[in-house]
């Protein structure tokens, strides 16, 4: 009897081995390339390729026929939630690409420069980065657009570069966390089967207070600055961002919202930008698809992998281990569950150095934890997104810090202590769990 129980436990633990293989390949490659000095070390081995050996191993150790294992994998990879996530990733990528191509990013930056007093450079950089990231749904795109501006500000003022770049990275992570078209938001909401607006209603009560505290810090530490010139901009180019942001709160399907944004961006580009034509619109849409293909493909691979691990009992075993750890905190069952979900995302993000991948990787496990502990899926989705953005904004080997530091000629370690928003957000997220706020009713 004891022998049978032991073998069952071993089988459940063994079911997690493919996930460990995936993390080992991805993390091992990143560490190796970091040691030899490769730029963007953790992005040399593509995540979908790293997932292939894990998938093969999962099929081989499945307790049953190989054909049954393949069928189980295909069921997980073709789950309706994953197909919808795949489509949303594609549409979000197309919208971000088209709106950027027609000049919406530059117009948004110039709008911010024109309305914010130059004496508040640091708060201005944070606000502009936050707005652009919220509109574009990408922290990387925001940093690429705003970090050169922040570096330029530091050159003509007495503001140190680390403060200016830290404000940009913090604003980018704020917008990426709250954006309706961010891949992290999409992954978190679809993995927990909740609506975008419901996750936003929880998220905003944690992220906005954190951003206010961050702004106060910047205002108190601000420096006098000379007037910063701005160029003219076309307000029409900002309309697609505003439209998508407002439509996201309606009851329209997310694909309709994003499709409207793509159509509106294309039409405005055709009428406002002389050099923009149908051929460039076609190219921009396709480039958006290509930019999202990696994360979309990975979500399907990991969905199939998770289905096998769940079938073999690996996820249930992991949930039990999480429960045994969270009980040490001597908190309520609900708080223990939310801490467990947060740990899942944090450790996943530390391993894979990609907030979207971390959410996808831990999504199925988080959903099982949520069922086991009776958690509110809206809060689970919000906490997954928040903690993934906190970690992603602070790990020195993450793409965001590497990009920002390459533009500003800084060390990622030197920048860590100046990304105030991520530190403050982490504190507010922990307080949210301990005091269980906000308490919102489903509408």
């Amino acid at each position: 009897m004891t022998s049978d129980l032991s073998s069952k436990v071993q089988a459940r633990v063994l079911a997690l081995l493919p996930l460990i293989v995936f993390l080992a390949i991805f993390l091992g490659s990143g560490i190796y390339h970091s040691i030899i000095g490769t730029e963007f070390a953790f992005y040399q081995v593509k995540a979908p390729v790293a997932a292939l050996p894990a998938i093969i191993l999962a099929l081989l150790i499945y307790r049953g026929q190989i054909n049954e294992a393949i069928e189980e994998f295909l069921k997980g990879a073709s789950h309706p939630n994953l197909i919808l996530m795949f489509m949303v990733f594609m549409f979000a990528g197309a919208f971000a690409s088209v709106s950027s191509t027609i000049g919406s990013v530059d117009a948004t930056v110039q709008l911010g420069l024109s309305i914010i007093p130059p004496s508040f450079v640091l708060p201005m950089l944070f606000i502009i980065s936050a707005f652009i990231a919220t509109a574009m749904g990408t922290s990387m795109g925001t940093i690429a657009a705003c970090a050169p501006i922040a570096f330029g500000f530091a050159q003509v003022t007495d503001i140190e570069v680390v403060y200016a770049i830290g404000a940009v990275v913090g604003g980018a992570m704020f917008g990426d966390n709250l954006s309706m078209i961010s891949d992290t938001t999409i992954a978190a909401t679809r993995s927990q089967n909740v609506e975008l607006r419901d996750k936003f209603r929880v998220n905003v009560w944690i992220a906005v207070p954190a951003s206010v505290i961050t702004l106060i810090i910047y205002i108190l530490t601000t420096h006098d600055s000379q007037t910063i010139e701005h160029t003219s901009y076309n307000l029409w180019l900002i309309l697609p961002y505003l439209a998508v942001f407002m439509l996201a709160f309606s009851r329209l399907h997310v694909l309709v919202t994003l499709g409207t944004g793509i159509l509106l961006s294309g039409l405005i580009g055709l009428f406002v930008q002389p050099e923009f034509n149908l051929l460039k619109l076609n190219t921009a849409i396709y480039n958006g698809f290509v930019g999202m293909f990696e994360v979309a493909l990975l979500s399907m691979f990991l969905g199939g992998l998770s289905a096998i691990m769940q079938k073999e009992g690996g996820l249930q075993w992991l949930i039990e281990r999480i429960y045994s750890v969270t009980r040490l905190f001597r908190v309520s069952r609900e708080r223990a569950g939310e801490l467990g979900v947060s740990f899942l995302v944090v450790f996943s993000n530390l391993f894979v150095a990609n907030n979207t991948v971390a959410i996808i990787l831990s999504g199925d496990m988080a959903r099982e934890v949520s069922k086991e502990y009776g958690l509110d899926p809206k809060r689970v989705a919000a906490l997954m997104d928040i903690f993934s953005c906190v970690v992603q904004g602070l790990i020195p080997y993450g793409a965001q810090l590497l990009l920002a530091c390459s533009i500003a000629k800084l060390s990622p370690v030197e920048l860590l202590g100046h990304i105030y928003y991520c530190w403050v957000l982490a504190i507010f997220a922990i307080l949210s769990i301990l005091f269980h706020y906000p308490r919102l009713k489903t509408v």
Side-chain angles (χ1 to χ4, degrees):
M1 186 75 171
T2 304
S3 177
D4 290 342
L5 181 60
S6 176
S7 62
K8 288 181 179 179
V9 172
Q10 290 177 358
R12 293 166 68 191
V13 175
L14 190 64
L16 294 173
L17 186 59
L19 178 61
I20 296 172
V21 168
F22 167 71
L23 294 175
I25 294 173
F26 200 85
L27 182 63
S29 168
I31 293 174
Y32 169 75
H33 284 284
S34 295
I35 292 173
I36 65 176
T38 307
E39 289 189 0
F40 298 98
F42 281 79
Y43 297 84
Q44 296 303 306
V45 171
K46 300 302 181 183
V49 177
L52 289 177
I55 293 171
I56 294 172
L57 177 60
L59 296 176
L60 291 176
I61 65 176
Y62 183 81
R63 290 177 298 170
Q65 300 278 334
I66 185 68
N67 288 353
E68 292 177 12
I70 293 174
E71 288 297 322
E72 200 65 43
F73 174 83
L74 293 176
K75 285 179 184 177
S78 60
H79 191 280
N81 282 338
L82 281 174
I83 299 300
L84 175 59
M85 189 187 296
F86 188 100
M87 294 297 296
V88 173
F89 279 142
M90 295 294 105
F91 273 53
F95 171 69
S97 178
V98 174
S99 58
S100 178
T101 300
I102 66 174
S104 293
V105 175
D106 293 335
T108 303
V109 171
Q110 297 306 321
L111 171 64
L113 294 177
S114 67
I115 62 178
I116 300 176
S119 58
F120 293 98
V121 172
L122 292 177
M124 176 192 68
L125 288 173
F126 181 84
I127 292 172
I128 290 177
S129 300
F131 181 81
I132 291 177
T134 304
M136 290 180 64
T138 166
S139 54
M140 286 293 288
T142 300
I143 292 171
C146 296
I149 297 172
F151 186 67
F153 286 168
Q155 300 301 306
V156 299
T157 67
D158 59 349
I159 296 176
E160 293 184 30
V161 177
V162 287
Y163 291 108
I165 298 298
V168 167
V169 174
M173 299 316 296
F174 169 84
D176 191 14
N177 178 212
L178 281 184
S179 175
M180 294 293 186
I181 62 170
S182 167
D183 45 6
T184 59
T185 296
I186 294 164
T189 53
R190 296 320 310 167
S191 70
Q192 304 307 308
N193 298 322
V194 299
E195 296 293 332
L196 292 171
R197 61 181 178 274
D198 291 332
K199 177 261 185 187
F200 182 88
R201 289 171 62 234
V202 176
N203 210 152
V204 72
W205 284 98
I206 303 172
V208 170
S211 69
V212 171
I213 297 298
T214 304
L215 284 172
I216 291 174
I217 294 173
Y218 284 133
I219 291 172
L220 293 177
T221 59
T222 194
H223 301 68
D224 291 331
S225 171
Q226 65 190 66
T227 301
I228 302 168
E229 296 183 359
H230 62 87
T231 60
S232 60
Y233 57 90
N234 192 325
L235 280 173
W236 283 104
L237 295 176
I238 304 173
L239 182 59
Y241 289 155
L242 296 176
V244 167
F245 189 75
M246 289 185 292
L247 286 175
F249 288 96
S250 70
R251 295 192 176 274
L252 284 176
H253 195 283
V254 61
L255 293 180
V256 176
T257 297
L258 291 172
T260 302
I262 296 170
L263 179 62
L264 189 59
S265 297
L267 291 174
I268 290 175
L270 292 171
F271 283 102
V272 172
Q273 302 287 34
E275 70 280 4
F276 190 79
N277 52 41
L278 289 174
L279 186 59
K280 289 188 176 180
L281 173 61
N282 166 78
T283 302
I285 291 174
Y286 183 74
N287 287 340
F289 289 162
V290 172
M292 286 289 190
F293 181 74
E294 179 180 340
V295 69
L297 180 61
L298 179 63
S299 67
M300 299 186 75
F301 279 177
L302 293 183
L305 193 61
S306 294
I308 294 179
M309 290 192 300
Q310 186 168 350
K311 180 76 172 180
E312 293 288 272
L315 295 185
Q316 182 62 33
W317 180 88
L318 187 59
I319 291 168
E320 292 169 0
R321 300 289 77 73
I322 291 171
Y323 179 61
S324 64
V325 171
T326 51
R327 278 190 306 177
L328 300 176
F329 291 97
R330 300 187 182 279
V331 294
S332 69
R333 182 176 175 83
E334 188 175 38
R335 290 179 177 85
E338 291 185 350
L339 285 171
V341 168
S342 303
F343 284 146
L344 274 176
V345 176
V346 166
F347 285 113
S348 295
N349 213 145
L350 288 173
F351 281 129
V352 301
N354 185 303
N355 47 349
T356 307
V357 174
I359 292 173
I360 295 171
L361 188 63
S362 56
D364 284 345
M365 289 180 277
R367 190 167 62 251
E368 292 301 314
V369 171
S370 179
K371 292 178 182 177
E372 184 78 16
Y373 288 75
L375 305 181
D376 183 348
K378 301 189 296 296
R379 285 183 57 82
V380 172
L383 289 172
M384 290 178 68
D385 200 347
I386 287 170
F387 278 102
S388 71
C389 283
V390 166
V391 175
Q392 190 65 27
L394 294 176
I395 50 177
Y397 49 86
Q400 284 78 358
L401 263 65
L402 292 174
L403 175 60
C405 291
S406 66
I407 293 173
K409 307 297 187 292
L410 290 171
S411 162
V413 177
E414 183 183 5
L415 184 60
L416 283 182
H418 298 89
I419 307 174
Y420 302 136
Y421 173 72
C422 288
W423 294 107
V424 176
L425 180 63
I427 294 172
F428 272 85
I430 293 171
L431 292 175
S432 172
I433 294 174
L434 295 179
F435 294 99
H436 198 69
Y437 81 90
R439 295 176 180 271
L440 300 176
K441 295 180 180 180
T442 304
V443 293

